[in-house]
Amino acid sequence: MAPVELDTVHYNVRMSIIYDAWSSASDFEEYNSMSNLDALLLISGEHSEDDVPRKTSAVQTWLLGYEFPSTFILMQKNRVTFLCSSSKAKILEPIRASSPRIPVEILALPKAKDATANTQEIMNNFIALFTNVQRVGTLTKEEQSGKAISDYKAALQAAGHNFEGIDISVALGAAMAIKDEEELKIIRTTSNLCNTLVASYILPKLETIIDKEKPTSHAALVSLVEHRLGDNERAADMKLWSKGRNLTDVDFASVEFVYVPQIQSAASGYNLKLVNEPSSAEISFKGVLITSVGLKYKVLRTNMVFNVVIAFQDVRENEKSAPYSVQIADTIKIGQERGVSLTDVARESKDCLFFFQQDNEEKPKPKSAPKPASPAKKIAGGKALRTATRSGGGAENVQTVRTKNYPHQVELHAKRQSEGLARYESGGGGGGGAERKTWKRFVSYKGDAALPTEISEPKIYIDKKALTVVLPINGYAVPFHINTIKNASKNDEAEYVYLRINLQTPGQLTGKKEDTPFEDPDATFIRSLTYRSLNRMRFDNLFTSIQQLKKDVNKKEQQKKELADVVEQDKLEELKGRRPHKLPDVFPRPALDGKRLPGDVEIHQNGLRYTSMANQRVDVLFSNIKHLFFQPCDNELVVIIHCHLRSPIMIGKKKTKDVQFYREATDMQFDETGNRKRKHRYGDEDEIEMEQAERKRRTQLNKEFKAFAEKISEAATDSNGEPLELDIPYTELAFEGVPFRTNVKLAPTMDCLVYLTDPPFLVATLAEIEIASLERVQFGLKHFDLVFVFHDLTRQPLSINSIPSSQLNNVMEWLNDVDVPVAESQINLNWGPIMKTINDDPAEFFAGGGWGFLTIPGAPAGGDSSASEEESSYDESSDGASSSEPSESDFDGDDASDDDDMSGMDDSGEDWEEMEEKAAKSDKKKADKRGGGGGGSDSDVPKKKKPAAAGKSKR
């Protein structure tokens, strides 16, 4: 081991800090315990491996850089005296020789083999320094032991000194709180050591033990952990430490455990104190596992760097359950502006919670008890086909899901009803007020002086700058703003051409402007003005100009409406002092103007910046990111980082609420020409090698993008002060549907339902959904539809069409698990008129029962009486029209066969036959009166109606 050398400069600086705090103790509250003291005394006994961390050791390490067991430090106003062994005195000698601000005196105790008289004499000299001392500041809560401590107590008692001991632990802690840059560097290194040990060794070991159920005792794992630092027989495990940041240059001889690493499970029991010896019991594979590691490197982590711990010990879910404990700890560095967490491992629940698939697989076993008969499978062409629709065995599973989810769905519907009543308890419309049109005043000219000079002649003039049409009326030029004009029409009659200008007036029952408000609807309005002229060409030009002006104004209004919710982001604050984290060679969506070129994404102080090779920039602020997604390239052509924004932004000339950065993962991105192996090898070996390279490349892409996405999440959390969670789609829960025009695979995430692979993207936030409506849920149909109605009732419902019926079970369970109320319907509902009615008066809607008009899946049969009545009335109307449309009667007859009673069908058949007989007799009488000749044609009449009757008797 290298000889110990003290840093005299650091000693002088830190000893001066203690003396400055002592001298100003009466002025600062944190130093009050030092006021009116005659001396300060720090006593350190013999070192013990079982000792918990002591404040004395922390002060020594902070002051001298090392621990000095069996050492006394007495601080008086005019000097500092060290009492220690002769070997330690040699180490301390450079401090005395450096002419410090406070003079230093060193009293060296002789070795044990030397005369005891010399030891007693030196101890008496040290005790003599307390002659005029009445109040001494010391660490009264610490009990020290050892031969030097015993000799000190005996000499103090023999001399008859009896001073008052005052606890100064708080004052010393405050003096040591402010760390210099060198201390902070060492603390960061120590934190990286702990993070690396836990993340790269302890957690993987525990995961392997649990996953493979490998019998391993707590003590054995603790021993393996302790060996990572090395000892006299082996060096430190540099393969492990090289995975950490800036750890290759660490002097591992100066690294040691503060306490024995703690690993506890249900088998060992839980004791959250840090002085437990490892248990010899084997680690339990279930329940809670607690790990705790503390390291020190040159200095001990104290004060301005805090270890914050929250723990619950021996918690029980009920009287019969086994106890468990939970402990969460973080190392926090307190800065001038904010605190920073130095714990960079297992920061989220998903990093430390493990779920076993086998438990989920055991649950469905009871469902398979009533096994269906083997003929239930459909056989086609010698192949066994699974039931594609719910008309087969799948119907029983769906009904089971409905029954299981029904109690929870009733609670969710009741909750939505109470929330709706509370939201609109003040009454009135409220919901749709934001969308209602308001009366606007359009001003063409401010006074007569602003009128154009062209109106001096009595003729029609179009002022495009003022968006006005000036019309001559009784010799006066009257301006009409283009928004007051509904439309214009032109007709030719003989030698004249007529130009008619229709104005906006109330009471119009057609067109999109029927709900346009007016300042005084009861006033007298001019509905139209008609002009006649012989100049056909001029009126043609006027008509065209008015139409074009109207079109341009409408287009501008539409663009203005579309951009109304676009926000202007704050300025991006570029990161200073270090290089920002960068993800190179990615493409953005929406694509930028010009040639498609890759660029880099950088993480700055308050947002992201994408810079293309053409120096085009896209800034996205953290405060505007609502959801952050990472989608790996497993079974996909691209790997994606996706930002769903709170408010839309403009990228070029495009308005977007989604910004995506991706990189292609296909072979086209890699040039494999020129490979020497390909000149001599073809076939399977080459293909296997290419597949392996493809898998490796995809794995590397996923790792790179996920790591960058996690850095975005951390930076956004630090910038916003609230967490921005990284969300990953659950591909195992994905289902197909048509949210736009094409069939895509939609995947749930923790908070959303998304489709991110290609534009247009879909991001539906689950927390914003008011209710989900499953439509076209009928036996025999291969697809159903899903409609999301949002809490913001003015927002257009989201429809996802053509979801395979085989996915109904999964969709219903997923919606129930994420606490979304579900309704069910056999037909598609017309949500446009429904939402308009709701928005007219939401308070009245919820007061009248709210969403109670929808059917909850799994509701008892008696609750659907109204629906069955509607279906029966629909069937009756269909039967009534069957005489004129035989094809519809056939369809209605098949549909009625599932619901109507047999006797009802027989009665209706008898009535129809009686009617046919009467009609036949009447036709025969008419034919007889005519004298024959028409019998052939008459006989054809009942033949047309017989198929309907036959269809009924056929059943």
Side-chain angles (χ1 to χ4, degrees), residues 797-844:
L798 172 64
S799 297
I800 302 174
N801 303 322
S802 301
I803 303 174
S805 295
S806 59
Q807 294 292 328
L808 179 62
N809 192 355
N810 297 333
V811 172
M812 292 178 67
E813 284 191 312
W814 165 64
L815 291 173
N816 186 68
D817 291 340
V818 296
D819 294 337
V820 173
V822 179
E824 188 178 70
S825 172
Q826 294 186 358
I827 60 174
N828 287 112
L829 301 180
N830 194 349
W831 285 101
I834 293 176
M835 297 309 298
K836 186 177 186 301
T837 303
I838 295 175
N839 282 306
D840 286 342
D841 195 343
E844 181 181 355

Side-chain angles (χ1 to χ4, degrees), residues 110-213:
K111 296 181 179 180
K113 63 182 180 180
D114 296 339
T116 307
N118 293 337
T119 302
Q120 190 67 33
E121 180 182 357
I122 294 174
M123 186 63 72
N124 290 336
N125 293 337
F126 181 72
I127 296 298
L129 299 175
F130 294 92
T131 302
N132 298 322
V133 173
Q134 300 296 328
R135 289 167 51 87
V136 177
T138 185
L139 300 176
T140 59
K141 297 181 180 180
E142 293 188 356
E143 293 291 335
Q144 305 287 350
S145 61
K147 184 177 184 305
I149 302 299
S150 301
D151 293 343
Y152 162 73
K153 291 180 178 179
L156 189 65
Q157 186 176 4
H161 292 307
N162 188 15
F163 54 81
E164 179 185 4
I166 307 298
D167 185 38
I168 58 171
S169 58
V170 176
L172 284 177
M176 297 163 57
I178 305 301
K179 304 293 184 184
D180 55 32
E181 185 57 35
E182 182 64 23
E183 287 179 286
L184 292 178
K185 181 179 178 181
I186 294 175
I187 289 172
R188 284 193 291 267
T189 301
T190 310
S191 298
N192 290 339
L193 288 168
C194 282
N195 293 334
T196 304
L197 181 60
V198 173
S200 301
Y201 190 80
I202 297 179
L203 288 185
K205 279 286 185 183
L206 287 174
E207 291 175 8
T208 303
I209 291 171
I210 295 172
D211 189 33
K212 296 183 178 180
E213 296 188 354

Side-chain angles (χ1 to χ4, degrees), residues 931-951:
S937 61
D938 291 338
S939 63
D940 293 339
V941 176
K943 291 181 181 178
K944 292 185 179 179
K945 298 185 179 180
K946 277 188 177 180

Side-chain angles (χ1 to χ4, degrees), residues 357-376:
Q357 187 69 24
Q358 59 188 17
D359 293 340
N360 297 333
E361 293 174 353
E362 292 174 359
K363 293 180 180 179
K365 288 184 179 179
K367 297 181 181 179
S368 60
K371 296 183 179 180
S374 56

